[in-house]
Amino acid sequence: MKNPINITEFLSQHIQGEHGVALNAMLGDVISACKKIAVAIDAGALAGNMGSLASENVQGEVQKALDVISNDIFVEAALQSGLVAGMVSEEVDAPVALAEKTRQHGQYLLMFDPLDGSSNVNVNISVGTIFSILKSPNNQPELADFLQLGTEQICAGYALYGTSTMFVLTTGNGVNGFTLDVKTNEFYLTHPNMRIAAETQEFAINMSNYRFWNEPIQRYIDECLQGEEGDRKKDFNMRWVASMVAEVHRILVRGGVFMYPSDSKSKSGKLRLMYEANPMSFIVEQAGGAATTGLQRILEVKPNGIHARIPVMMGCKKEVERIAAYHQVKSKRK
Ligand code: P6P
């Protein structure tokens, strides 16, 4: 690729206005953290970071060494920015405590999953970091100040530590993707204005949960599996990486629909609203896709807690609309 623009230059051109300087500075620290996490992951087993810790995170999940390392890198970078008034991490129960001097100029709330899909690290499958940036009402936010609708996000993005390291973000004016040049340790614009294909023949879901799904989800997947002989009159392909960042990135690049529905095992679903579903929904909608719980637009869900879980169906707009329509039929039958 001839002379691609680097991310710092691109963002300074695209993020203007009164908040432009602060948001660019905030993103500069987020990008720096993701570069450091990429180094920690690339070292793999050589750095002795592959193991699990004795500890569990607030989700009750066994923490990997890299979960904690990534979390600490992200927290440190955010503190350096001096722009964060409050932080919520998947790995930490309460909002991260910030010293008075750290947040005196804080204007953002930073929500993040520092290493999503970390169970894949030991088997060398792609993992990622997901972040969401909200405006803080002041520099001493209360817990309730974090519980904003997804439509309030001013920026959302992810780093994908895959066959190459990529950084993808939106600030509400489309979605742009950047690839890390390991020689210069700089991200360069390689995927301008990412758009989700209008049609798809690919779905992503953990099929082992089939017997626990509600009827609309079973109906949708059954029709995909019936292929050309069924109502859909076309064959479908399936993928499941068990890493949301990898799934969503694939959908941005070649289309598809990603599904983690609620089921009889977990009534609220598995994925977290504030730092997985909301940032990814913002990105997907900005790329022309859609994101629903089955019953409502994800970005309009009122959070009932900083670690709230919700059902997630997102990707190609027509498929997401079909899934939502099947839920409407079901709810009318009651
Ligand atoms: P399962 C990773 O733990 C994660 O939160 C998402 O990144 C991923 O899509 C999902 O859970 C995988 O869940 O039940 O298939 O292991």
Side-chain angles (χ1 to χ4, degrees):
M1 184 170 268
K2 276 178 68 63
N3 305 323
I5 187 171
N6 75 43
I7 192 167
T8 308
E9 200 177 324
F10 179 87
L11 294 179
S12 65
Q13 291 175 12
H14 283 73
I15 304 178
Q16 304 290 335
E18 59 172 316
H19 299 300
V21 171
L23 185 55
N24 269 298
M26 179 79 253
L27 282 170
D29 292 301
V30 167
I31 290 162
S32 164
C34 291
K35 288 178 181 176
K36 288 177 183 166
I37 293 171
V39 169
I41 289 168
D42 285 348
L46 290 174
N49 294 333
M50 290 285 107
S52 296
L53 305 174
S55 56
E56 285 187 352
N57 63 14
V58 65
Q59 327 291 340
E61 297 162 342
V62 172
Q63 287 183 302
K64 304 284 186 216
L66 276 170
D67 280 321
V68 175
I69 291 167
S70 303
N71 182 71
D72 294 350
I73 289 172
F74 221 83
V75 169
E76 183 51 39
L79 295 181
Q80 290 298 327
S81 77
L83 292 163
V84 176
M87 265 189 277
V88 163
S89 164
E90 185 207 38
E91 297 301 328
V92 182
D93 186 6
V96 178
L98 301 179
E100 186 58 39
K101 67 177 174 52
T102 304
R103 65 184 182 192
Q104 61 187 1
H105 303 299
Q107 52 185 290
Y108 298 120
L109 300 177
L110 183 61
M111 328 284 282
F112 59 95
D113 181 356
L115 198 59
D116 181 66
S118 56
S119 59
N120 283 330
V121 164
N122 294 24
V123 292
N124 207 358
I125 291 175
S126 301
V127 291
T129 297
I130 310 171
F131 70 92
S132 169
I133 300 177
L134 296 162
K135 283 295 292 167
S136 183
N138 54 54
N139 65 6
Q140 295 186 326
E142 306 283 334
L143 195 61
D145 295 322
F146 289 88
L147 304 182
Q148 299 180 32
L149 297 184
T151 48
E152 294 301 310
Q153 294 174 97
I154 59 170
C155 178
Y158 61 81
L160 173 60
Y161 313 110
T163 48
S164 60
T165 294
M166 284 198 68
F167 191 86
V168 175
L169 87 161
T170 184
T171 56
N173 298 300
V175 178
N176 291 287
F178 304 81
T179 301
L180 184 68
D181 178 341
V182 292
K183 296 187 294 299
T184 63
N185 200 31
E186 279 289 346
F187 280 106
Y188 292 91
L189 180 66
T190 51
H191 296 66
N193 192 27
M194 299 180 85
R195 302 293 294 171
I196 295 176
E199 303 282 346
T200 187
Q201 289 178 247
E202 192 161 76
F203 66 89
I205 195 166
N206 183 336
M207 287 296 288
S208 69
N209 294 322
Y210 182 94
R211 65 189 184 284
F212 304 117
W213 296 336
N214 65 26
E215 188 268 338
I217 299 295
Q218 288 183 336
R219 175 185 174 191
Y220 176 79
I221 295 297
D222 287 346
E223 290 177 354
C224 289
L225 297 176
Q226 287 154 13
E228 280 184 339
E229 293 80 50
D231 292 349
R232 301 301 308 272
K233 302 201 183 323
K234 63 180 182 179
D235 291 339
F236 280 76
N237 190 28
M238 194 209 95
R239 286 286 182 273
W240 191 249
V241 184
S243 174
M244 185 185 193
V245 176
E247 314 278 9
V248 171
H249 188 74
R250 185 189 58 248
I251 289 167
L252 281 170
V253 172
R254 76 180 193 206
V257 61
F258 168 80
M259 304 166 74
Y260 211 108
S262 59
D263 58 31
S264 54
K265 281 190 305 180
S266 48
K267 296 276 185 268
S268 305
K270 174 180 182 183
L271 302 182
R272 276 62 56 145
L273 174 61
M274 300 307 291
Y275 40 78
E276 288 175 328
N278 267 343
M280 290 308 207
S281 297
F282 188 16
I283 291 167
V284 162
E285 287 197 0
Q286 283 290 312
T292 182
T293 64
L295 298 177
Q296 70 176 113
R297 184 186 176 209
I298 286 177
L299 291 182
E300 292 174 347
V301 172
K302 177 65 183 140
N304 60 15
I306 54 175
H307 297 297
R309 297 174 188 264
I310 61 160
V312 175
M313 273 62 76
M314 61 171 61
C316 171
K317 195 165 192 172
K318 285 187 179 174
E319 296 304 315
V320 171
E321 288 171 348
R322 175 185 289 267
I323 294 164
Y326 290 0
H327 282 79
Q328 297 310 317
V329 167
K330 165 86 172 150
S331 56
K332 284 195 181 103
R333 279 187 193 151
K334 278 180 185 167

